Amino acid sequence: MNGGVIKAGERVLDLFAGARLTPTQRRIAHCLVEHASKAAYLSAAEVADLAGVSQPSVTRFAIALGYEGYPALRRVLRELTAGADADPGGEHNAMQGAVAAEAEHLGRLVDQLERLDDVRRAAELLIVSRPLPVLGLRAAAPLAGYFGYFASKVHPDVRVLDAGGTSLLDRLDQARAAGAGAMLALVLPRYPRESLEAVREAKAMGYAVVAITDSAVSPVAEHCDVVLPAAVGTRLVFDLHTGPMAMAMVLLQAMCDADPEPVQSRLEAFEATAARRNIFQA
């Protein structure tokens, strides 16, 4: 893996690992991650304005993390973000830098997957849900379709929810009435309101919700039973979703491992059908 400098926001994110934050504090944390280099030089009032919260909330947030106040937290932010946005490799052009940064994200994901407790818990919730709704709107819709395509080979009833509008909650109601107990939500920046509202409604219906999102302090995290974070690349005009796609396939592998015998029989049945119908070019 490239030994370049870790992106500023990722260093700041480490500050919040394991912290139990309120929804307002999550909002502040997310703001600091998204604007790491800038926020390290702002006052508490300016951070409050940027995050859309009150100044006392920023102070309480710093205290919740164990600091005397926001100035003490800001000093740490400055140390963490100093020089942290330089391109890995230094001499890379912009395109190379974007891909190199994505390699850094995958390297962090490798480290994250050293502990598989959350992945296995998520897999156990999802593999037994009949049907299995998979939510992904706007930028996350292609990833929901990708996951759903392969998941349907090993799960008998996968329902991809990739369109918003008034029928979205109806489809969640129908899946719940049919026996669904868990839902996978793919929620990526810029976090569509409909996605967040659908997750909140799913929880109210009694679903267990697993989310793949870009950060442990993503707005969807507070509403989920299991959060599987995977960083999104932000160095090009449009985001790179290499990390979330890798996490989705890791989760699907864990689902296969959680229920191996039925999965194997379904895979064999699919291969037999594909051969009989001559679906793939030899």
Side-chain angles (χ1 to χ4, degrees):
M1 185 174 115
N2 191 302
V5 183
I6 297 173
K7 190 179 172 186
E10 294 170 344
R11 287 185 171 181
V12 172
L13 181 58
D14 290 339
L15 283 177
F16 315 130
R20 299 180 65 86
L21 303 176
T22 67
T24 296
Q25 289 168 348
R26 283 181 180 274
R27 188 170 181 174
I28 297 167
H30 182 71
C31 176
L32 293 178
V33 170
E34 288 298 298
H35 306 280
S37 297
K38 175 182 177 182
Y41 294 90
L42 298 179
S43 68
E46 289 169 326
V47 170
D49 185 61
L50 190 62
V53 302
S54 68
Q55 182 175 342
S57 293
V58 175
T59 301
R60 288 193 292 269
F61 169 73
I63 292 171
L65 293 177
Y67 298 95
E68 292 183 0
Y70 182 72
L73 173 58
R74 184 173 56 188
R75 285 194 292 272
V76 175
L77 292 175
R78 289 178 181 178
E79 292 172 3
L80 289 175
T81 59
D85 283 325
D87 277 339
E91 297 180 1
H92 289 158
N93 62 41
M95 304 304 181
Q96 289 176 305
V99 175
E102 205 68 355
E104 291 282 355
H105 291 158
L106 291 177
R108 290 174 66 85
L109 185 56
V110 170
D111 295 339
Q112 178 183 327
L113 291 173
E114 185 174 351
R115 291 181 57 84
L116 291 172
D117 296 1
D118 286 345
V119 173
R120 288 172 177 153
R121 183 181 167 214
E124 289 166 0
L125 288 171
L126 298 176
I127 194 65
V128 298
S129 181
R130 303 285 192 277
L132 173 59
V134 178
L135 173 72
L137 303 182
R138 293 188 177 269
L143 182 52
Y146 186 82
F147 179 90
Y149 173 80
F150 289 107
S152 66
K153 304 294 185 291
V154 298
H155 190 286
D157 191 356
V158 178
R159 303 187 185 184
V160 175
L161 310 178
D162 58 2
T166 57
S167 66
L168 175 58
L169 297 185
D170 291 342
R171 296 180 67 190
L172 278 175
D173 281 331
Q174 292 159 7
R176 183 67 176 148
M183 178 180 81
L184 174 62
L186 301 150
V187 183
L188 303 176
R190 303 167 54 189
Y191 314 117
R193 280 197 182 92
E194 277 189 298
S195 294
L196 301 177
E197 290 167 0
V199 169
R200 284 193 290 267
E201 187 64 23
K203 287 298 296 178
M205 292 178 193
Y207 280 95
V209 179
V210 173
I212 293 177
T213 188
D214 65 311
S215 161
V217 293
S218 161
V220 76
E222 65 188 274
H223 306 293
C224 299
D225 296 87
V226 184
V227 177
L228 302 177
V232 165
T234 58
R235 294 189 175 221
L236 301 177
V237 172
F238 299 106
D239 290 344
L240 289 169
H241 294 158
T242 314
M245 180 171 285
M247 179 61 86
M249 291 298 98
V250 166
L251 174 59
L252 185 54
Q253 177 65 49
M255 290 169 61
C256 294
D257 294 343
D259 200 11
E261 291 185 14
V263 164
Q264 186 59 35
S265 65
R266 290 188 188 105
L267 284 173
E268 290 173 358
F270 170 75
E271 291 299 334
T273 299
R276 177 171 58 81
R277 296 174 179 170
N278 197 25
I279 292 176
F280 302 112
Q281 182 67 42

